[in-house]
Amino acid sequence: MAKIKIDPVTRIEGHLAIEVDIDSNNNVIYAHSTGNLFRGFEKILIGRDPRDAVHLTQRICGVCPVSHCMASVNALENAFGYTPSDQARIIRNLILGSNFIASHILHFYHLAALDYIQGPEMEPWTPHYNTDCRLTSSQNQAIIDNYVAALEARRKAHEMAAIFAGKMPHVTTVLPGGVSVTPTSESISKFNMYLDWIIDFINNKYIPDVNTIADAYSDYFSIGVGNGNLLAYGVFDLDNTGNYKLFRRGVYTNGTISELDESLIKEYVMYSWYDNSDTNKHPSNGSTTPTPDKSGAYSWLKAPRYNGEPFELGPLARMTINGDYTNGISVMDRHLARAQEARKIAYAMKDWLLQLEPEVTSYDELTVPNSRVGVGLTEAPRGAVGHWIAISDSKISHYQVITPTCWNASPRDDNGNPGPIEGALVGTNVANVEKPIEILRIVHSYDPCTGCSVHVSRADREVISEFIVNPVR
């Protein structure tokens, strides 16, 4: 038996380490997924004005900040007993949709496609594993050219979001009570011009490039399958009841789709660097007590579970639960579902733009209640995100966040069940242990983003230890 460790395995999104054991035939028989940094926003928020949460929790991630903004504002409005107007709902959908598209394009071209193409021997293409490259030279060059074009596409998606968001990546206009921006005919027209350009990019570059890689690497439709459990909270409200969404919530198990019961969500910490008193708790009464020297633990991520079982989140889960994607669950299915989801969202945004009313405001000033609880469930590009809040004496007395990567990249739970990525790695054959490209392709297909595990430090504190993680060479 031998051991392979890749640290960090993510390209730009935080510090995630993967360690696997392989047998004499180079088959993975055991996998560990480790989030290397402590997040701690749950503790930072205690005692603050509840309205601060919308702005502070966006800093959990620079890739999907809008989703944390939306989850937080949903939790606050749930606690306040407030329903936003149609105008506010539509503007929020447009901002969030822009962020989804930017993130999906980023993931494929700048984080995942590099596992399949042969780039020039220069940064950001290096370091890389130059093995199992199957594309023809013309196919390879086309995707390299579109890698550069994708940078422009992502910039345009951010600029499009900023028209109604105030700025990106962190939104300023979405608040409890609605949206502080008032659309004009000019801003709606400008947004539409950006959207048309991006739809053309999705249809004529993004989706064809994903299909090219899927055709060349068709064996990856049977690699990285995982346990087959999928879960989604649902996103993009289509009316003010919250019951009708572009992507409905649900649970997919053994080929069956059922309703989501939010009360069945719990977090476990036996193998996480948190106090054991934090385990087996619903996030509405969960706690976050870092215990960095805990014996047997190997990750700063907790292990969220639904009804005691690990579940995969993300575009494939949303598209499958909604019947938009039915091909299967695997590495390549995740890429195809993500690209097709980007197109579905973009065309939905065209319809939402037509529903906007120029010069109509959509903000009501709210009073912070003395004591309430609330929950905000939505989706980030890479999966479901939930915020749970309790308010006492008009201050935050409790706050818990479960990010999608905490589900997908979670360590084992108290029952020994591996997290989704850990489970998807087991059984994989590694052709070249010096260049374990199969492991990278499986992990990257989940779009792991451990920026949600980012730590915070104070400049006036003394540094007592410094850890440097070497890149893959």
mmCIF file of all heavy atoms in Angstrom, residues 133-180:
data_model
loop_
_atom_site.group_PDB
_atom_site.id
_atom_site.type_symbol
_atom_site.label_atom_id
_atom_site.label_comp_id
_atom_site.label_asym_id
_atom_site.label_seq_id
_atom_site.Cartn_x
_atom_site.Cartn_y
_atom_site.Cartn_z
ATOM 1 N N CYS A 133 -3.234 13.494 -22.043
ATOM 2 C CA CYS A 133 -3.801 14.612 -22.812
ATOM 3 C C CYS A 133 -4.285 14.055 -24.154
ATOM 4 O O CYS A 133 -3.483 13.636 -24.978
ATOM 5 C CB CYS A 133 -2.750 15.701 -23.026
ATOM 6 S SG CYS A 133 -2.127 16.408 -21.497
ATOM 7 N N ARG A 134 -5.577 14.073 -24.393
ATOM 8 C CA ARG A 134 -6.154 13.354 -25.523
ATOM 9 C C ARG A 134 -6.666 14.246 -26.651
ATOM 10 O O ARG A 134 -7.074 13.743 -27.699
ATOM 11 C CB ARG A 134 -7.320 12.482 -25.033
ATOM 12 C CG ARG A 134 -6.997 11.600 -23.852
ATOM 13 C CD ARG A 134 -8.215 10.796 -23.427
ATOM 14 N NE ARG A 134 -8.016 10.159 -22.138
ATOM 15 C CZ ARG A 134 -8.959 9.492 -21.492
ATOM 16 N NH1 ARG A 134 -10.167 9.362 -22.022
ATOM 17 N NH2 ARG A 134 -8.709 8.949 -20.302
ATOM 18 N N LEU A 135 -6.743 15.544 -26.461
ATOM 19 C CA LEU A 135 -7.324 16.405 -27.489
ATOM 20 C C LEU A 135 -6.376 16.551 -28.672
ATOM 21 O O LEU A 135 -5.149 16.479 -28.514
ATOM 22 C CB LEU A 135 -7.638 17.786 -26.909
ATOM 23 C CG LEU A 135 -8.603 17.841 -25.725
ATOM 24 C CD1 LEU A 135 -8.867 19.295 -25.339
ATOM 25 C CD2 LEU A 135 -9.908 17.121 -26.029
ATOM 26 N N THR A 136 -6.933 16.767 -29.861
ATOM 27 C CA THR A 136 -6.095 17.078 -31.006
ATOM 28 C C THR A 136 -5.485 18.464 -30.799
ATOM 29 O O THR A 136 -5.951 19.247 -29.957
ATOM 30 C CB THR A 136 -6.912 17.080 -32.299
ATOM 31 O OG1 THR A 136 -7.849 18.169 -32.237
ATOM 32 C CG2 THR A 136 -7.671 15.773 -32.478
ATOM 33 N N SER A 137 -4.468 18.767 -31.573
ATOM 34 C CA SER A 137 -3.797 20.066 -31.409
ATOM 35 C C SER A 137 -4.759 21.218 -31.674
ATOM 36 O O SER A 137 -4.711 22.249 -31.003
ATOM 37 C CB SER A 137 -2.590 20.158 -32.329
ATOM 38 O OG SER A 137 -2.976 19.994 -33.681
ATOM 39 N N SER A 138 -5.659 21.060 -32.657
ATOM 40 C CA SER A 138 -6.605 22.136 -32.958
ATOM 41 C C SER A 138 -7.644 22.280 -31.842
ATOM 42 O O SER A 138 -8.013 23.397 -31.468
ATOM 43 C CB SER A 138 -7.300 21.885 -34.304
ATOM 44 O OG SER A 138 -8.005 20.659 -34.279
ATOM 45 N N GLN A 139 -8.120 21.154 -31.305
ATOM 46 C CA GLN A 139 -9.057 21.231 -30.186
ATOM 47 C C GLN A 139 -8.389 21.871 -28.975
ATOM 48 O O GLN A 139 -8.983 22.720 -28.296
ATOM 49 C CB GLN A 139 -9.547 19.823 -29.812
ATOM 50 C CG GLN A 139 -10.478 19.184 -30.822
ATOM 51 C CD GLN A 139 -10.764 17.726 -30.491
ATOM 52 O OE1 GLN A 139 -9.916 17.027 -29.912
ATOM 53 N NE2 GLN A 139 -11.953 17.255 -30.846
ATOM 54 N N ASN A 140 -7.157 21.441 -28.719
ATOM 55 C CA ASN A 140 -6.421 21.974 -27.579
ATOM 56 C C ASN A 140 -6.241 23.484 -27.693
ATOM 57 O O ASN A 140 -6.480 24.243 -26.739
ATOM 58 C CB ASN A 140 -5.056 21.280 -27.513
ATOM 59 C CG ASN A 140 -4.360 21.476 -26.191
ATOM 60 O OD1 ASN A 140 -4.678 20.814 -25.216
ATOM 61 N ND2 ASN A 140 -3.409 22.400 -26.158
ATOM 62 N N GLN A 141 -5.845 23.950 -28.896
ATOM 63 C CA GLN A 141 -5.597 25.378 -29.096
ATOM 64 C C GLN A 141 -6.894 26.184 -28.973
ATOM 65 O O GLN A 141 -6.905 27.310 -28.446
ATOM 66 C CB GLN A 141 -4.949 25.620 -30.455
ATOM 67 C CG GLN A 141 -4.504 27.070 -30.684
ATOM 68 C CD GLN A 141 -3.505 27.534 -29.637
ATOM 69 O OE1 GLN A 141 -2.513 26.860 -29.370
ATOM 70 N NE2 GLN A 141 -3.775 28.685 -29.026
ATOM 71 N N ALA A 142 -7.995 25.601 -29.452
ATOM 72 C CA ALA A 142 -9.276 26.323 -29.380
ATOM 73 C C ALA A 142 -9.663 26.599 -27.929
ATOM 74 O O ALA A 142 -10.131 27.700 -27.590
ATOM 75 C CB ALA A 142 -10.374 25.517 -30.072
ATOM 76 N N ILE A 143 -9.454 25.618 -27.060
ATOM 77 C CA ILE A 143 -9.816 25.817 -25.654
ATOM 78 C C ILE A 143 -8.841 26.774 -24.973
ATOM 79 O O ILE A 143 -9.244 27.573 -24.120
ATOM 80 C CB ILE A 143 -9.899 24.457 -24.929
ATOM 81 C CG1 ILE A 143 -11.031 23.629 -25.538
ATOM 82 C CG2 ILE A 143 -10.141 24.650 -23.435
ATOM 83 C CD1 ILE A 143 -11.208 22.254 -24.926
ATOM 84 N N ILE A 144 -7.575 26.726 -25.366
ATOM 85 C CA ILE A 144 -6.625 27.712 -24.825
ATOM 86 C C ILE A 144 -7.061 29.122 -25.215
ATOM 87 O O ILE A 144 -7.052 30.048 -24.397
ATOM 88 C CB ILE A 144 -5.202 27.419 -25.334
ATOM 89 C CG1 ILE A 144 -4.655 26.144 -24.675
ATOM 90 C CG2 ILE A 144 -4.274 28.597 -25.061
ATOM 91 C CD1 ILE A 144 -3.306 25.708 -25.210
ATOM 92 N N ASP A 145 -7.448 29.303 -26.483
ATOM 93 C CA ASP A 145 -7.921 30.624 -26.928
ATOM 94 C C ASP A 145 -9.157 31.049 -26.137
ATOM 95 O O ASP A 145 -9.295 32.225 -25.744
ATOM 96 C CB ASP A 145 -8.256 30.585 -28.417
ATOM 97 C CG ASP A 145 -7.016 30.406 -29.287
ATOM 98 O OD1 ASP A 145 -5.888 30.637 -28.785
ATOM 99 O OD2 ASP A 145 -7.174 30.014 -30.461
ATOM 100 N N ASN A 146 -10.054 30.096 -25.896
ATOM 101 C CA ASN A 146 -11.274 30.434 -25.160
ATOM 102 C C ASN A 146 -11.014 30.630 -23.672
ATOM 103 O O ASN A 146 -11.807 31.279 -22.990
ATOM 104 C CB ASN A 146 -12.328 29.342 -25.380
ATOM 105 C CG ASN A 146 -12.854 29.360 -26.807
ATOM 106 O OD1 ASN A 146 -12.745 30.371 -27.509
ATOM 107 N ND2 ASN A 146 -13.405 28.232 -27.255
ATOM 108 N N TYR A 147 -9.913 30.062 -23.166
ATOM 109 C CA TYR A 147 -9.495 30.326 -21.784
ATOM 110 C C TYR A 147 -9.312 31.833 -21.607
ATOM 111 O O TYR A 147 -9.756 32.426 -20.618
ATOM 112 C CB TYR A 147 -8.177 29.594 -21.505
ATOM 113 C CG TYR A 147 -7.535 29.884 -20.163
ATOM 114 C CD1 TYR A 147 -7.642 28.978 -19.119
ATOM 115 C CD2 TYR A 147 -6.795 31.048 -19.946
ATOM 116 C CE1 TYR A 147 -7.040 29.223 -17.902
ATOM 117 C CE2 TYR A 147 -6.196 31.305 -18.730
ATOM 118 C CZ TYR A 147 -6.321 30.383 -17.708
ATOM 119 O OH TYR A 147 -5.725 30.633 -16.502
ATOM 120 N N VAL A 148 -8.663 32.458 -22.574
ATOM 121 C CA VAL A 148 -8.441 33.909 -22.504
ATOM 122 C C VAL A 148 -9.768 34.660 -22.686
ATOM 123 O O VAL A 148 -10.068 35.613 -21.954
ATOM 124 C CB VAL A 148 -7.420 34.347 -23.567
ATOM 125 C CG1 VAL A 148 -7.229 35.859 -23.533
ATOM 126 C CG2 VAL A 148 -6.094 33.624 -23.350
ATOM 127 N N ALA A 149 -10.577 34.196 -23.650
ATOM 128 C CA ALA A 149 -11.881 34.847 -23.861
ATOM 129 C C ALA A 149 -12.762 34.713 -22.629
ATOM 130 O O ALA A 149 -13.574 35.602 -22.331
ATOM 131 C CB ALA A 149 -12.574 34.218 -25.071
ATOM 132 N N ALA A 150 -12.597 33.614 -21.892
ATOM 133 C CA ALA A 150 -13.405 33.401 -20.689
ATOM 134 C C ALA A 150 -13.098 34.426 -19.602
ATOM 135 O O ALA A 150 -13.954 34.741 -18.777
ATOM 136 C CB ALA A 150 -13.187 31.980 -20.166
ATOM 137 N N LEU A 151 -11.865 34.933 -19.601
ATOM 138 C CA LEU A 151 -11.535 35.996 -18.645
ATOM 139 C C LEU A 151 -12.397 37.225 -18.901
ATOM 140 O O LEU A 151 -12.904 37.871 -17.980
ATOM 141 C CB LEU A 151 -10.048 36.358 -18.747
ATOM 142 C CG LEU A 151 -9.060 35.268 -18.318
ATOM 143 C CD1 LEU A 151 -7.641 35.680 -18.706
ATOM 144 C CD2 LEU A 151 -9.145 35.026 -16.815
ATOM 145 N N GLU A 152 -12.588 37.550 -20.191
ATOM 146 C CA GLU A 152 -13.446 38.676 -20.552
ATOM 147 C C GLU A 152 -14.908 38.366 -20.213
ATOM 148 O O GLU A 152 -15.640 39.232 -19.727
ATOM 149 C CB GLU A 152 -13.323 39.003 -22.035
ATOM 150 C CG GLU A 152 -14.168 40.207 -22.455
ATOM 151 C CD GLU A 152 -14.046 40.518 -23.936
ATOM 152 O OE1 GLU A 152 -13.396 39.746 -24.662
ATOM 153 O OE2 GLU A 152 -14.622 41.538 -24.363
ATOM 154 N N ALA A 153 -15.311 37.119 -20.449
ATOM 155 C CA ALA A 153 -16.697 36.744 -20.150
ATOM 156 C C ALA A 153 -16.983 36.884 -18.662
ATOM 157 O O ALA A 153 -18.041 37.380 -18.260
ATOM 158 C CB ALA A 153 -16.962 35.310 -20.610
ATOM 159 N N ARG A 154 -16.027 36.442 -17.858
ATOM 160 C CA ARG A 154 -16.232 36.532 -16.410
ATOM 161 C C ARG A 154 -16.262 38.005 -15.960
ATOM 162 O O ARG A 154 -17.060 38.387 -15.101
ATOM 163 C CB ARG A 154 -15.125 35.770 -15.683
ATOM 164 C CG ARG A 154 -15.340 35.693 -14.195
ATOM 165 C CD ARG A 154 -14.466 34.651 -13.532
ATOM 166 N NE ARG A 154 -14.813 34.541 -12.131
ATOM 167 C CZ ARG A 154 -14.174 35.194 -11.162
ATOM 168 N NH1 ARG A 154 -13.149 35.965 -11.448
ATOM 169 N NH2 ARG A 154 -14.555 35.054 -9.907
ATOM 170 N N ARG A 155 -15.386 38.829 -16.561
ATOM 171 C CA ARG A 155 -15.402 40.256 -16.217
ATOM 172 C C ARG A 155 -16.733 40.883 -16.589
ATOM 173 O O ARG A 155 -17.313 41.664 -15.802
ATOM 174 C CB ARG A 155 -14.261 40.978 -16.945
ATOM 175 C CG ARG A 155 -14.288 42.498 -16.754
ATOM 176 C CD ARG A 155 -13.107 43.165 -17.427
ATOM 177 N NE ARG A 155 -13.035 42.936 -18.852
ATOM 178 C CZ ARG A 155 -13.773 43.598 -19.752
ATOM 179 N NH1 ARG A 155 -14.653 44.516 -19.356
ATOM 180 N NH2 ARG A 155 -13.647 43.342 -21.033
ATOM 181 N N LYS A 156 -17.231 40.554 -17.757
ATOM 182 C CA LYS A 156 -18.516 41.117 -18.176
ATOM 183 C C LYS A 156 -19.650 40.670 -17.246
ATOM 184 O O LYS A 156 -20.569 41.442 -16.948
ATOM 185 C CB LYS A 156 -18.812 40.708 -19.626
ATOM 186 C CG LYS A 156 -17.978 41.451 -20.669
ATOM 187 C CD LYS A 156 -18.367 41.018 -22.079
ATOM 188 C CE LYS A 156 -17.530 41.755 -23.133
ATOM 189 N NZ LYS A 156 -17.830 43.203 -23.185
ATOM 190 N N ALA A 157 -19.597 39.416 -16.790
ATOM 191 C CA ALA A 157 -20.632 38.934 -15.871
ATOM 192 C C ALA A 157 -20.587 39.709 -14.557
ATOM 193 O O ALA A 157 -21.628 40.042 -13.972
ATOM 194 C CB ALA A 157 -20.468 37.435 -15.622
ATOM 195 N N HIS A 158 -19.384 40.006 -14.085
ATOM 196 C CA HIS A 158 -19.248 40.810 -12.863
ATOM 197 C C HIS A 158 -19.768 42.235 -13.086
ATOM 198 O O HIS A 158 -20.472 42.797 -12.234
ATOM 199 C CB HIS A 158 -17.791 40.859 -12.420
ATOM 200 C CG HIS A 158 -17.417 39.766 -11.456
ATOM 201 N ND1 HIS A 158 -18.269 39.282 -10.502
ATOM 202 C CD2 HIS A 158 -16.277 39.066 -11.301
ATOM 203 C CE1 HIS A 158 -17.681 38.334 -9.798
ATOM 204 N NE2 HIS A 158 -16.456 38.180 -10.274
ATOM 205 N N GLU A 159 -19.407 42.825 -14.218
ATOM 206 C CA GLU A 159 -19.875 44.191 -14.507
ATOM 207 C C GLU A 159 -21.394 44.219 -14.640
ATOM 208 O O GLU A 159 -22.049 45.186 -14.237
ATOM 209 C CB GLU A 159 -19.202 44.705 -15.781
ATOM 210 C CG GLU A 159 -17.699 44.955 -15.611
ATOM 211 C CD GLU A 159 -17.014 45.362 -16.899
ATOM 212 O OE1 GLU A 159 -17.676 45.361 -17.971
ATOM 213 O OE2 GLU A 159 -15.817 45.669 -16.852
ATOM 214 N N MET A 160 -21.949 43.155 -15.223
ATOM 215 C CA MET A 160 -23.401 43.052 -15.358
ATOM 216 C C MET A 160 -24.050 43.017 -13.975
ATOM 217 O O MET A 160 -25.035 43.730 -13.717
ATOM 218 C CB MET A 160 -23.751 41.797 -16.151
ATOM 219 C CG MET A 160 -25.220 41.554 -16.378
ATOM 220 S SD MET A 160 -25.507 40.207 -17.557
ATOM 221 C CE MET A 160 -24.952 38.776 -16.622
ATOM 222 N N ALA A 161 -23.506 42.209 -13.072
ATOM 223 C CA ALA A 161 -24.057 42.135 -11.710
ATOM 224 C C ALA A 161 -23.972 43.478 -11.008
ATOM 225 O O ALA A 161 -24.903 43.891 -10.298
ATOM 226 C CB ALA A 161 -23.310 41.067 -10.913
ATOM 227 N N ALA A 162 -22.847 44.184 -11.208
ATOM 228 C CA ALA A 162 -22.619 45.445 -10.496
ATOM 229 C C ALA A 162 -23.615 46.529 -10.883
ATOM 230 O O ALA A 162 -23.799 47.494 -10.132
ATOM 231 C CB ALA A 162 -21.186 45.924 -10.739
ATOM 232 N N ILE A 163 -24.270 46.388 -12.042
ATOM 233 C CA ILE A 163 -25.266 47.395 -12.448
ATOM 234 C C ILE A 163 -26.351 47.516 -11.385
ATOM 235 O O ILE A 163 -26.792 48.612 -11.043
ATOM 236 C CB ILE A 163 -25.874 47.002 -13.814
ATOM 237 C CG1 ILE A 163 -24.821 47.144 -14.909
ATOM 238 C CG2 ILE A 163 -27.104 47.869 -14.127
ATOM 239 C CD1 ILE A 163 -25.273 46.601 -16.260
ATOM 240 N N PHE A 164 -26.772 46.379 -10.823
ATOM 241 C CA PHE A 164 -27.799 46.401 -9.783
ATOM 242 C C PHE A 164 -27.249 46.103 -8.388
ATOM 243 O O PHE A 164 -27.938 46.313 -7.391
ATOM 244 C CB PHE A 164 -28.911 45.400 -10.107
ATOM 245 C CG PHE A 164 -29.653 45.705 -11.392
ATOM 246 C CD1 PHE A 164 -29.912 44.700 -12.311
ATOM 247 C CD2 PHE A 164 -30.077 46.999 -11.688
ATOM 248 C CE1 PHE A 164 -30.592 44.974 -13.496
ATOM 249 C CE2 PHE A 164 -30.742 47.287 -12.869
ATOM 250 C CZ PHE A 164 -31.005 46.282 -13.773
ATOM 251 N N ALA A 165 -26.016 45.582 -8.324
ATOM 252 C CA ALA A 165 -25.437 45.214 -7.025
ATOM 253 C C ALA A 165 -24.633 46.339 -6.400
ATOM 254 O O ALA A 165 -24.234 46.239 -5.242
ATOM 255 C CB ALA A 165 -24.544 43.982 -7.192
ATOM 256 N N GLY A 166 -24.365 47.405 -7.156
ATOM 257 C CA GLY A 166 -23.538 48.491 -6.642
ATOM 258 C C GLY A 166 -22.083 48.242 -6.932
ATOM 259 O O GLY A 166 -21.402 49.090 -7.500
ATOM 260 N N LYS A 167 -21.578 47.095 -6.561
ATOM 261 C CA LYS A 167 -20.212 46.699 -6.890
ATOM 262 C C LYS A 167 -20.095 45.197 -6.701
ATOM 263 O O LYS A 167 -20.951 44.547 -6.111
ATOM 264 C CB LYS A 167 -19.187 47.432 -6.025
ATOM 265 C CG LYS A 167 -19.262 47.079 -4.546
ATOM 266 C CD LYS A 167 -18.142 47.743 -3.787
ATOM 267 C CE LYS A 167 -18.139 47.283 -2.325
ATOM 268 N NZ LYS A 167 -16.989 47.822 -1.572
ATOM 269 N N MET A 168 -19.032 44.654 -7.204
ATOM 270 C CA MET A 168 -18.700 43.235 -7.059
ATOM 271 C C MET A 168 -17.223 43.125 -6.685
ATOM 272 O O MET A 168 -16.435 43.995 -7.048
ATOM 273 C CB MET A 168 -18.978 42.489 -8.367
ATOM 274 C CG MET A 168 -20.445 42.229 -8.630
ATOM 275 S SD MET A 168 -21.175 41.050 -7.468
ATOM 276 C CE MET A 168 -20.350 39.524 -7.965
ATOM 277 N N PRO A 169 -16.819 42.079 -5.947
ATOM 278 C CA PRO A 169 -17.610 40.881 -5.669
ATOM 279 C C PRO A 169 -18.558 41.026 -4.486
ATOM 280 O O PRO A 169 -19.388 40.143 -4.290
ATOM 281 C CB PRO A 169 -16.534 39.825 -5.377
ATOM 282 C CG PRO A 169 -15.416 40.593 -4.786
ATOM 283 C CD PRO A 169 -15.404 41.896 -5.527
ATOM 284 N N HIS A 170 -18.435 42.052 -3.672
ATOM 285 C CA HIS A 170 -19.292 42.147 -2.498
ATOM 286 C C HIS A 170 -20.395 43.177 -2.734
ATOM 287 O O HIS A 170 -20.140 44.343 -3.010
ATOM 288 C CB HIS A 170 -18.454 42.477 -1.267
ATOM 289 C CG HIS A 170 -17.426 41.417 -0.973
ATOM 290 N ND1 HIS A 170 -16.082 41.673 -0.930
ATOM 291 C CD2 HIS A 170 -17.558 40.097 -0.753
ATOM 292 C CE1 HIS A 170 -15.428 40.550 -0.673
ATOM 293 N NE2 HIS A 170 -16.305 39.585 -0.568
ATOM 294 N N VAL A 171 -21.623 42.717 -2.579
ATOM 295 C CA VAL A 171 -22.816 43.471 -2.959
ATOM 296 C C VAL A 171 -23.149 44.512 -1.892
ATOM 297 O O VAL A 171 -23.050 44.243 -0.695
ATOM 298 C CB VAL A 171 -23.993 42.485 -3.115
ATOM 299 C CG1 VAL A 171 -25.285 43.214 -3.395
ATOM 300 C CG2 VAL A 171 -23.677 41.477 -4.209
ATOM 301 N N THR A 172 -23.583 45.690 -2.311
ATOM 302 C CA THR A 172 -23.943 46.741 -1.353
ATOM 303 C C THR A 172 -25.431 47.081 -1.360
ATOM 304 O O THR A 172 -25.919 47.738 -0.444
ATOM 305 C CB THR A 172 -23.153 48.035 -1.651
ATOM 306 O OG1 THR A 172 -23.473 48.476 -2.973
ATOM 307 C CG2 THR A 172 -21.658 47.803 -1.544
ATOM 308 N N THR A 173 -26.171 46.675 -2.380
ATOM 309 C CA THR A 173 -27.551 47.146 -2.527
ATOM 310 C C THR A 173 -28.599 46.197 -1.958
ATOM 311 O O THR A 173 -29.767 46.586 -1.828
ATOM 312 C CB THR A 173 -27.874 47.359 -4.021
ATOM 313 O OG1 THR A 173 -27.703 46.112 -4.718
ATOM 314 C CG2 THR A 173 -26.960 48.408 -4.629
ATOM 315 N N VAL A 174 -28.229 44.971 -1.645
ATOM 316 C CA VAL A 174 -29.197 43.990 -1.127
ATOM 317 C C VAL A 174 -29.219 44.090 0.396
ATOM 318 O O VAL A 174 -28.202 43.854 1.055
ATOM 319 C CB VAL A 174 -28.841 42.567 -1.573
ATOM 320 C CG1 VAL A 174 -29.816 41.561 -0.968
ATOM 321 C CG2 VAL A 174 -28.862 42.472 -3.092
ATOM 322 N N LEU A 175 -30.383 44.432 0.940
ATOM 323 C CA LEU A 175 -30.523 44.685 2.368
ATOM 324 C C LEU A 175 -31.809 44.047 2.875
ATOM 325 O O LEU A 175 -32.742 43.819 2.097
ATOM 326 C CB LEU A 175 -30.591 46.204 2.630
ATOM 327 C CG LEU A 175 -29.466 47.059 2.059
ATOM 328 C CD1 LEU A 175 -29.873 48.519 2.070
ATOM 329 C CD2 LEU A 175 -28.197 46.849 2.860
ATOM 330 N N PRO A 176 -31.895 43.781 4.194
ATOM 331 C CA PRO A 176 -33.189 43.378 4.736
ATOM 332 C C PRO A 176 -34.214 44.474 4.466
ATOM 333 O O PRO A 176 -33.999 45.629 4.834
ATOM 334 C CB PRO A 176 -32.915 43.222 6.238
ATOM 335 C CG PRO A 176 -31.449 43.047 6.355
ATOM 336 C CD PRO A 176 -30.844 43.826 5.236
ATOM 337 N N GLY A 177 -35.292 44.148 3.776
ATOM 338 C CA GLY A 177 -36.277 45.160 3.391
ATOM 339 C C GLY A 177 -36.330 45.379 1.901
ATOM 340 O O GLY A 177 -37.144 46.163 1.412
ATOM 341 N N GLY A 178 -35.457 44.717 1.145
ATOM 342 C CA GLY A 178 -35.519 44.854 -0.308
ATOM 343 C C GLY A 178 -34.180 45.090 -0.949
ATOM 344 O O GLY A 178 -33.171 44.488 -0.579
ATOM 345 N N VAL A 179 -34.174 46.039 -1.907
ATOM 346 C CA VAL A 179 -32.968 46.376 -2.667
ATOM 347 C C VAL A 179 -32.904 47.891 -2.782
ATOM 348 O O VAL A 179 -33.907 48.534 -3.122
ATOM 349 C CB VAL A 179 -33.005 45.738 -4.071
ATOM 350 C CG1 VAL A 179 -31.795 46.135 -4.887
ATOM 351 C CG2 VAL A 179 -33.088 44.222 -3.972
ATOM 352 N N SER A 180 -31.768 48.465 -2.487
ATOM 353 C CA SER A 180 -31.667 49.924 -2.443
ATOM 354 C C SER A 180 -31.479 50.564 -3.811
ATOM 355 O O SER A 180 -31.554 51.790 -3.937
ATOM 356 C CB SER A 180 -30.514 50.336 -1.509
ATOM 357 O OG SER A 180 -29.283 49.857 -2.006
#
